[in-house]
């Protein structure tokens, strides 16, 4: 018999759109970051909003020095998880519908 199997579309990994960025992008190239975020959201952000200041205030309150010897165990753990996550993000996640990246390079 000549049977064909219908193609099955794999369900999306996420239900909401996702915007990926590196926090350094906000500090190093805030104009490009702002433009990418506006494209993703489909709206214009207020010009008075200083993204760099807000990010610096937020991140400095909860910062640790991960390279200090006292954080060696968590650093090794996070490095392993990060490598696995990076492989998955690059090979699978970025191609999902609704995922946009502030700076693909």
């Amino acid at each position: 018999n000549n049977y064909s199997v219908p193609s099955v579309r794999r369900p999306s990994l996420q239900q909401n759109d996702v915007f990926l960025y590196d926090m350094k992008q906000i500090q190093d190239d805030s104009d490009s970051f702002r433009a990418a975020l506006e494209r993703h959201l489909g709206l214009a952000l207020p010009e008075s909003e200083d993204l760099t200041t807000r990010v610096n205030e937020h991140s400095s309150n909860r910062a640790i020095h991960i390279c200090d010897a006292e954080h060696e165990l968590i650093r090794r753990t996070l490095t392993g998880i990060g490598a696995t996550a990076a492989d998955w993000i690059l090979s699978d996640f970025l191609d999902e519908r609704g995922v946009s990246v502030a700076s693909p390079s």
Side-chain angles (χ1 to χ4, degrees):
N1 292 334
N2 194 6
Y3 295 105
S4 65
V5 177
S7 65
V8 177
R9 181 164 161 34
R10 157 182 104 151
S12 179
L13 296 174
Q14 82 283 346
Q15 296 179 0
N16 298 309
D17 289 349
V18 176
F19 181 72
L20 300 175
Y21 65 94
D22 182 330
M23 290 185 63
K24 291 277 295 170
Q25 290 174 277
I26 299 170
Q27 297 165 337
D28 295 346
D29 193 1
S30 61
D31 291 338
S32 293
F33 173 80
R34 177 184 294 275
L37 183 57
E38 288 176 337
R39 275 192 308 277
H40 177 76
L41 297 173
L43 53 84
L45 296 173
E47 287 298 322
S48 61
E49 190 71 31
D50 183 2
L51 299 175
T52 303
T53 300
R54 291 193 62 186
V55 167
N56 288 338
E57 288 171 357
H58 178 72
S59 62
S60 65
N61 292 335
R62 301 175 0 186
I64 65 168
H65 297 282
I66 195 72
C67 292
D68 289 352
E70 68 184 293
H71 302 298
E72 182 180 355
L73 178 60
I74 191 69
R75 182 178 58 249
R76 273 191 278 132
T77 302
L78 290 173
T79 301
I81 291 169
T84 302
D87 289 344
W88 174 77
I89 288 168
L90 292 171
S91 66
D92 296 323
F93 190 64
L94 290 181
D95 292 331
E96 288 292 315
R97 185 174 42 96
V99 175
S100 56
V101 181
S103 178
S105 55

